[in-house]
Amino acid sequence: MDSPGTISLWMEQADNAPPFDPLDGDTRADVAIAGGGFTGLWTAYYLKTLAPELDVCVLEAKRCGFGASGRNGGWMMAALEGETRLLSALDGQRRKQTGALIHGILPEVERVLGQNDIDCDYRRGGGIYAAARYPEQLALQRKLLDEYRAAGFGADDFRWLEAAELSSRLRIAGALGGIYTPHIARIQPARLVLGLARTLRGLGVRIYEQTPVTGLEAGHMVTATGRIRAPSRLLALEGYSSRLPEVSERVLAVQSRIIATEPLDESLWNDIGLAEREVFCEASPLITYGQRSADNRMVFGARGTYRFGGGPRSEFGLHGRDFEEVHRLLAACFPQLESTLITHRWGGTLGVPRNGFPHAVYDRTTGVGTAGGYFGEGVGAANLMARTLADQVLGRDTELVQAPWAFAGSIESQLRRWEPEPLRWLGYKATDLVRRLEESVYRRQGPGWQKRPLQRASGWLDRLKT
């Protein structure tokens, strides 16, 4: 089994519990769930608390938190990928109800954490979407705020920060302005996922680790060491779906890249900001984001990578070009950290949906369902999709099963496929090249004749993805 230190800083800090045993032989359950990350564990939690009589089991290929749930940047957002497009397409009342469901993620998580005594360094300090370093970021963040307004969100949800107020919260290089939202919390994600696993064990949910699911058969979930006969079989694998044809072509696996500094002293944090433990990002085409961890490290990530064929990736060369670029971006945002020791580097695989939105799908005829497609919002979105999927399985008539991310029917009929290779790889590489060129031209303030073609290409590639 991979050591916690090779997975992420988070797993190194949190992994002090003995692993669960693997499955050994055939068994039965009412619900079998493939995947011991946030989606699988939250789904098991809501199924078991809503219907305690159910026999629920979770099957994890490695150990709980090995995948994206233990490898992310530690943002818990009350948000969904593509939410402004999704909400703008709804009428007034339904838009309001759906927005309330999305912004209800954090209050619901806070309820569960308190009720089950799960300590995951949760701090609801909000989030800062900064415009900094070059003026193009200012236009992008203003446009984003307009999209939030068009989707029905008011100033209590997203409000503009002028340059002085941004700098009072976050002293990022070249601060120009930005957006503040209260709907984000900082967490230690591995402590949350392992805390959920311990809670489920106390509720009587069976968790089998080192038990990869290899296929589905009529009424059964199949592993190398046994078969589980279960009327409901749920796939909560996200970017690790490549071995199962039901979902492998419908969620694209891409990799994140994250680094963490040594713990910084208080004087340095006074110079940087984040006194309320806000998380932050900027509008770089390379998608930079960060947080101040509970032990006072700067945890910082940037746009990730894609492997030909779309398979997951769990091992990363810790001193290669990928992490050097992240370190350069960190120094560009915070020059005072340029020589600071980087103690941890890690990456993880997340899932990108073809239609640009997350989903919960359940087929009552076959008993097969799935949830995922979160892109970068999965730490929080997984809770909402898990509640939706649990209601679908239980046949409950709730707002969640009527939400625009809930689908009834087979996975194959409800979720779009990604294009075959090499088109996916070529598309990602083209996007990656354009984003890197944009960052370079903006940073050195190249002439308009260089910027305009890149901006048009970037917009075209964004539209192509949806």
Side-chain angles (χ1 to χ4, degrees):
M1 183 180 293
D2 298 70
S3 68
T6 66
I7 297 173
S8 67
L9 164 70
W10 310 129
M11 288 296 284
E12 180 181 280
Q13 291 177 337
D15 194 326
N16 56 9
F20 294 94
D21 292 333
L23 179 67
D24 183 16
D26 295 348
T27 188
R28 293 172 177 258
D30 295 312
V31 184
I33 302 171
F38 287 133
T39 302
L41 298 179
W42 278 124
T43 303
Y45 177 82
Y46 288 107
L47 286 169
K48 194 65 176 176
T49 53
L50 290 168
E53 73 280 4
L54 286 181
D55 183 6
V56 180
C57 70
V58 176
L59 303 132
E60 164 56 39
K62 294 285 189 176
R63 73 157 306 165
C64 293
F66 176 85
S69 298
R71 298 172 182 263
N72 54 77
W75 287 36
M76 175 164 280
M77 307 173 68
L80 301 180
E81 171 69 14
E83 65 184 349
T84 55
R85 287 189 295 116
L86 183 151
L87 291 170
S88 296
L90 303 177
D91 61 31
Q93 184 57 30
R94 193 169 187 225
R95 178 189 300 172
K96 183 177 180 180
Q97 292 172 340
T98 305
L101 289 174
I102 295 171
H103 280 173
I105 292 172
L106 294 188
E108 170 61 15
V109 170
E110 290 163 1
R111 181 191 69 82
V112 176
L113 297 182
Q115 185 171 303
N116 295 282
D117 196 25
I118 298 174
D119 181 4
C120 59
D121 299 332
Y122 183 96
R123 177 72 177 266
R124 189 173 177 176
I128 298 169
Y129 301 166
R133 298 196 293 130
Y134 42 79
E136 286 76 13
Q137 290 201 21
L138 193 62
L140 288 169
Q141 299 295 33
R142 287 284 193 187
K143 180 175 180 287
L144 177 60
L145 185 62
D146 289 343
E147 291 172 358
Y148 282 125
R149 293 287 181 265
F153 295 125
D156 289 342
D157 299 312
F158 299 92
R159 69 177 181 87
W160 186 253
L161 303 175
E162 297 296 346
E165 187 177 4
L166 170 61
S167 295
S168 72
R169 288 178 172 270
L170 175 68
R171 281 168 284 286
I172 191 169
L176 300 168
I179 301 168
Y180 173 78
T181 176
H183 299 294
I184 308 178
R186 179 210 73 186
I187 66 164
Q188 209 284 21
R191 287 184 176 142
L192 175 55
V193 76
L194 296 178
L196 283 173
R198 289 191 295 272
T199 298
L200 289 175
R201 178 162 50 186
L203 292 172
V205 173
R206 289 178 285 153
I207 299 176
Y208 300 104
E209 294 184 328
Q210 295 295 302
T211 306
V213 172
T214 57
L216 296 178
E217 296 177 358
H220 292 80
M221 189 171 277
V222 182
T223 79
T225 56
R227 289 153 47 98
I228 303 91
R229 183 173 182 178
S232 292
R233 297 167 310 287
L234 309 178
L235 304 177
L237 299 168
E238 261 284 83
Y240 288 81
S241 303
S242 59
R243 293 184 179 179
L244 296 176
E246 292 84 358
V247 285
S248 62
E249 300 298 318
R250 291 168 172 82
V251 178
L252 191 68
V254 300
Q255 280 73 48
S256 62
R257 300 175 297 163
I258 303 173
I259 61 177
T261 69
E262 62 185 331
L264 308 178
D265 63 40
E266 197 62 29
S267 64
L268 195 48
W269 277 117
N270 288 338
D271 187 40
I272 295 170
L274 304 180
E276 299 302 318
R277 304 318 195 255
E278 305 96 326
V279 302
F280 70 91
C281 65
E282 53 152 16
S284 166
L286 298 181
I287 313 178
T288 57
Y289 53 92
Q291 67 140 293
R292 177 179 180 176
S293 69
D295 62 344
N296 288 317
R297 301 171 188 267
M298 174 66 81
V299 178
F300 187 86
R303 178 180 170 82
T305 59
Y306 173 73
R307 301 175 72 182
F308 186 88
R313 182 182 176 191
S314 301
E315 297 181 1
F316 294 79
L318 299 184
H319 300 283
R321 173 178 173 272
D322 286 346
F323 291 100
E324 290 174 0
E325 182 177 58
V326 180
H327 196 180
R328 285 196 299 272
L329 286 165
L330 172 64
C333 292
F334 304 99
Q336 62 269 54
L337 298 182
E338 184 173 9
S339 60
T340 300
L341 178 64
I342 304 300
T343 60
H344 294 77
R345 302 166 179 85
W346 70 92
T349 295
L350 55 137
V352 179
R354 183 61 185 88
N355 66 353
F357 302 116
H359 52 260
V361 183
Y362 186 66
D363 187 345
R364 300 203 67 80
T365 302
T366 63
V368 175
T370 190
Y374 308 126
F375 204 79
E377 283 83 354
V379 177
N383 175 272
L384 185 59
M385 294 305 119
R387 282 186 276 142
T388 304
L389 187 57
D391 281 356
Q392 290 171 310
V393 172
L394 297 174
R396 303 177 79 216
D397 184 14
T398 65
E399 284 186 330
L400 288 170
V401 300
Q402 303 301 323
W405 53 79
F407 301 95
S410 69
I411 297 169
E412 295 85 348
S413 69
Q414 298 300 321
L415 301 183
R416 288 174 60 190
R417 287 179 180 270
W418 279 93
E419 288 73 13
E421 294 291 19
L423 296 179
R424 286 178 291 175
W425 184 83
L426 290 171
Y428 192 93
K429 288 299 181 181
T431 302
D432 197 44
L433 175 62
V434 169
R435 297 286 193 261
R436 291 173 189 275
L437 288 172
E438 278 190 289
E439 169 70 20
S440 175
V441 171
Y442 293 158
R443 189 182 65 248
R444 59 184 172 80
Q445 282 301 287
W449 65 266
Q450 290 182 344
K451 296 176 185 176
R452 285 190 292 273
L454 290 170
Q455 289 165 344
R456 287 195 292 270
S458 182
W460 180 79
L461 288 166
D462 284 342
R463 291 190 295 274
L464 189 65
K465 287 189 294 184
T466 59

